[in-house]
Amino acid sequence: MESPRDVMLKIGEMAFTGVSQRNIVFNEEDLIKYNLQPSQFLSGFLMELVERESSEHSVVYTFPHLTIQEFVAALAQFLSPQSKRTMRCLIRSDMEEDGRFEIFLRFVAGLSSPRAAQPLEEFLGPFVHQTTCAVIDWLKEKEVAELTHYLFESQNQALAQQTLGSLRTLAFGDSSPQKALRLTPIDCVVVSQAIGLCDTMKQLNLKNCYIQEEGLQRLVPALHKCEELWLKGNNLGDCGVKRLCEALRNPDCKIQRLWLDSNRLTDGCTDALVSALSTKRSLRDLDLRSNSFTDGSVRALRRLIQTCTSLEGIWLWANKFSSDGRNQLKSLQEIRAELSVTV
């Protein structure tokens, strides 16, 4: 009688072929090819479906969900004794650009973690050590944008600290919205964790990533560690900026340069923003261009310019100030020689 490990390896090999060929339905011939016999163990992973063709009935098999198929395919990589073949398979999968292997590869990264492996090893036996080491080496060579997701899956704190600890810049954004990466709230959770593992984050570039309030909420716990924070074009709105103020009020906030241009901001967020920034002695530059501030924000902005003595530059053009409002703001440029107020 075959062990659960042997059966799982065969199921995983069939699952991987299915992922490779975008196939989610398997027939009797597929089971025979992988020397699988219908059993209670097999039925725990595959559902039987009856297909009717004319007057005949045939049975086919499918995983309850594609992600289960992808997980089983990833698990098989750590059970196979042929670690070199497994790594060739991993490298080929990584080269595909159509997205079919994206979740499979994230599961592979996750299973390289001792925390994920332990409960599975208790049932299936030890993972192949050479494969785990090879996967970790593969992770170390990844681009930062991909690496953050893989590290999040692995939850391997030592590896994350080793690969991200000295990272100074994270750039997902671009001045062109077409070239920037659109980050989902889940992406923002991953980025937040990555920043949290860094010793010092010089620059976080999220220009035009369209993170909105929900994404910003996920990032807030780590934003205080950034020295330069580029948030242009993220549709944050007043509620988003009020979320940002939570990071700005952090006693350990290191933000020196803050770009909030083109974020649909109005007078409704000015008091909260000014309150969070007025006592900051790290802030050097603040960009509030291309929003919808009016003369209703002038008094608060004047207070910010006067009380934030570290401020060297504030950009306010392309808002809705009257000529009198612009003059009131620009006149403050004279209070410090190094100060530039651009209205």
Side-chain angles (χ1 to χ4, degrees), residues 14-38:
M14 185 176 74
F16 178 77
T17 300
V19 173
S20 302
Q21 299 174 358
R22 296 185 180 278
N23 178 34
I24 61 172
V25 177
F26 306 91
N27 54 32
E28 294 285 353
E29 292 180 358
D30 294 315
L31 266 61
I32 293 171
K33 178 180 178 181
Y34 289 95
N35 195 23
L36 287 166
Q37 301 293 329

Side-chain angles (χ1 to χ4, degrees), residues 7-8 10-16 18 23-32 34-49 59-66 68-70 72-73:
V7 178
M8 181 61 75
K10 293 176 182 179
I11 299 173
E13 289 174 342
M14 185 176 74
F16 178 77
N23 178 34
I24 61 172
V25 177
F26 306 91
N27 54 32
E28 294 285 353
E29 292 180 358
D30 294 315
L31 266 61
I32 293 171
Y34 289 95
N35 195 23
L36 287 166
Q37 301 293 329
S39 65
Q40 188 174 2
F41 184 84
L42 185 65
S43 66
F45 294 92
L46 294 175
M47 300 187 305
E48 293 186 7
L49 302 176
V59 176
V60 295
Y61 303 87
T62 185
F63 289 88
H65 196 278
L66 177 58
I68 295 177
Q69 179 177 336
E70 292 165 322
V72 172

Side-chain angles (χ1 to χ4, degrees), residues 246-265:
E246 296 173 27
L248 296 174
R249 285 192 291 267
N250 188 307
D252 297 321
C253 181
K254 295 180 172 63
I255 295 175
Q256 298 179 17
R257 292 179 171 82
L258 178 60
W259 280 261
L260 288 170
D261 42 325
S262 304
N263 267 297
R264 298 176 59 193
L265 307 185

Side-chain angles (χ1 to χ4, degrees), residues 27 45 49 101 160 168 202 208 219 240 244 284 300 315 332:
N27 54 32
F45 294 92
L49 302 176
F101 292 110
R168 300 279 289 168
K202 174 69 175 176
N208 296 309
L219 288 163
L244 174 63
R284 297 285 182 271
W315 291 267
L332 294 178

Side-chain angles (χ1 to χ4, degrees), residues 149-163:
H149 273 283
Y150 290 136
L151 290 175
F152 182 79
E153 294 295 339
S154 76
Q155 295 294 301
N156 188 329
Q157 297 295 317
L159 176 61
Q161 186 64 42
Q162 181 182 350
T163 52

Side-chain angles (χ1 to χ4, degrees), residues 39-142:
S39 65
Q40 188 174 2
F41 184 84
L42 185 65
S43 66
F45 294 92
L46 294 175
M47 300 187 305
E48 293 186 7
L49 302 176
V50 178
E51 277 194 336
R52 181 173 181 176
E53 296 182 6
S54 64
S55 62
E56 296 183 359
H57 292 74
S58 62
V59 176
V60 295
Y61 303 87
T62 185
F63 289 88
H65 196 278
L66 177 58
T67 52
I68 295 177
Q69 179 177 336
E70 292 165 322
F71 174 78
V72 172
L75 178 58
Q77 310 310 311
F78 294 87
L79 302 178
S80 172
Q82 303 181 47
S83 58
K84 290 184 178 179
R85 189 181 75 174
T86 295
M87 288 316 300
R88 288 196 296 270
C89 158
L90 189 65
I91 292 168
R92 285 198 302 271
S93 301
D94 195 25
M95 293 174 65
E96 291 288 343
E97 297 181 354
D98 58 10
R100 77 181 76 174
F101 292 110
E102 180 180 354
I103 303 302
F104 162 76
L105 290 171
R106 290 190 187 184
F107 277 134
V108 169
L111 288 168
S112 70
S113 166
R115 182 187 303 178
Q118 182 181 355
L120 293 165
E121 288 180 315
E122 290 176 2
F123 179 64
L124 298 170
F127 286 3
V128 176
H129 182 66
Q130 293 92 328
T131 299
T132 301
C133 292
V135 169
I136 291 174
D137 288 340
W138 169 73
L139 287 172
K140 291 177 180 178
E141 299 298 321
K142 301 303 296 175

Side-chain angles (χ1 to χ4, degrees), residues 321-340:
F321 301 117
S322 68
S323 56
D324 179 61
R326 288 194 294 270
N327 289 335
Q328 288 189 52
L329 290 165
K330 196 170 181 61
S331 67
L332 294 178
Q333 189 164 253
E334 302 171 0
I335 65 174
R336 293 194 303 275
E338 70 278 9
L339 177 64
S340 172

